Structures are given as C-alpha cells and as structure tokens.
Amino acid sequence: MILFGKTFIAFWSEIVIAIFQFRFFSVEPHVTKIPISYLVCMIVLVNRYLFRRRFVGLAFWPFVFVGNPMLKRDLVFLNHERIHLRQQLELLIVFFYVWYGIEFLCRWISIGNWYKAYRNISFEREAYRNEKDLRYCKKRSFWAFLAFC
Ligand SMILES: [Zn+2]
C-alpha cells in the first residue's frame, strides 16, 4: 500500500518538493510568458505513484495532480486542467464529479468505447476544444460547458 508502506516518506516528500517547484515555476516570466496571476490559483502536485497507465493528470480544485514532472511546463496541458478547475468551481466541485460520472456512464453505454466516451463528456469537449487558447479562461463565460453537451 502506497500510503502506509515503505514508500510513505518518499510519497509525501515528493509532494512538498513539488509545491516549492511550482512556486519557482510560477515566478519565472521567461518560462511561462503569461501573467503570473494566470496560474496562481492552480497548485500543481507531482507524484509518479498516482498515474501509471491511461491518465496523465487529474484536476481537483485547487490542485492538479500529475505523474510526469515535465507536465508542469506544458502550458496546453495546464490550460486544459485549468478549464476543469473553472468547471469544478462553477459546480461547487462535488456536482462536477457527479455530472462527470453520470455523463461518462451514459456515453459509455451508448458509444460502447471507454476512450470515446471520455472524450465526449461535455467538460472534456470544452477543455480539449479550447486548451490551446491560453487566454480562454479569461474570456470564458459562466457554465460555458453547456454549449458542449
Ligand atoms: Zn480533461
């Protein structure tokens, strides 16, 4: 068990280090080339134990968990997760996950393909469609994901 076994210290020490790395990352304008405030409410945590297979990251406001440290500098990936953080806030976080789970199940049953069902969830449609637009969250309207249902 990761949380209670021999790797306990390594597991949590990596998270603490990641928090400090994020601070350095967010104050390097030549790296980000976008306003510091853009990433300020997003805390990126790296833990290679959490993601080994299909997923590369998970947004859970105000955190973004990633398995690969390189993703901390991937602005398109960060923008994708930031869109999810906005969606979560707008649905008080818990309703985001309820909606996400129900919509995933409905689409999985109708499409019959796990990955296609995931990509067609309205939250993911909005995020994938706009992840390359780094200013999207600035101009995004409230509950914009409804346009992708
Ligand atoms: Zn996503």
Side-chain angles (χ1 to χ4, degrees):
M1 187 71 188
I2 292 169
L3 295 178
F4 303 104
K6 200 174 180 181
T7 55
F8 176 86
I9 294 172
F11 183 92
W12 292 111
S13 62
E14 199 167 346
I15 286 179
V16 172
I17 290 167
I19 291 170
F20 285 107
Q21 284 175 344
F22 170 75
R23 288 190 58 184
F24 289 122
F25 165 64
S26 62
V27 295
E28 291 174 25
H30 65 282
V31 174
T32 62
K33 289 193 170 86
I34 49 177
I36 291 165
S37 60
Y38 186 82
L39 294 172
V40 132
C41 68
M42 183 167 66
I43 302 168
V44 181
L45 304 179
V46 180
N47 193 291
R48 60 195 159 95
Y49 298 103
L50 292 177
F51 304 100
R52 287 187 170 173
R53 292 181 183 175
R54 293 169 191 258
F55 291 103
V56 294
L58 172 77
F60 191 93
W61 189 88
F63 302 101
V64 171
F65 299 92
V66 295
N68 184 343
M70 295 302 289
L71 288 173
K72 285 189 302 175
R73 294 177 181 272
D74 184 337
L75 294 183
V76 173
F77 167 80
L78 291 177
N79 197 39
H80 181 103
E81 298 305 326
R82 185 176 167 81
I83 294 168
H84 285 322
L85 295 180
R86 284 285 297 274
Q87 294 164 341
Q88 290 176 11
L89 275 179
E90 290 169 359
L91 288 171
L92 306 176
I93 300 168
V94 67
F95 296 109
F96 170 87
Y97 282 102
V98 171
W99 187 325
Y100 195 103
I102 291 172
E103 190 175 351
F104 172 73
L105 282 176
C106 291
R107 293 192 186 279
W108 193 12
I109 290 165
S110 68
I111 297 171
N113 179 295
W114 184 94
Y115 185 71
K116 283 182 181 171
Y118 153 75
R119 285 294 296 249
N120 277 290
I121 297 169
S122 52
F123 302 118
E124 295 297 348
R125 278 182 177 171
E126 184 193 3
Y128 279 109
R129 184 85 53 87
N130 297 291
E131 64 185 8
K132 291 189 176 75
D133 179 1
L134 298 183
R135 301 281 170 183
Y136 178 68
C137 282
K138 295 272 185 193
K139 60 192 178 192
R140 181 182 178 276
S141 59
F142 192 80
W143 282 14
F145 58 87
L146 289 177
F148 297 85
C149 286

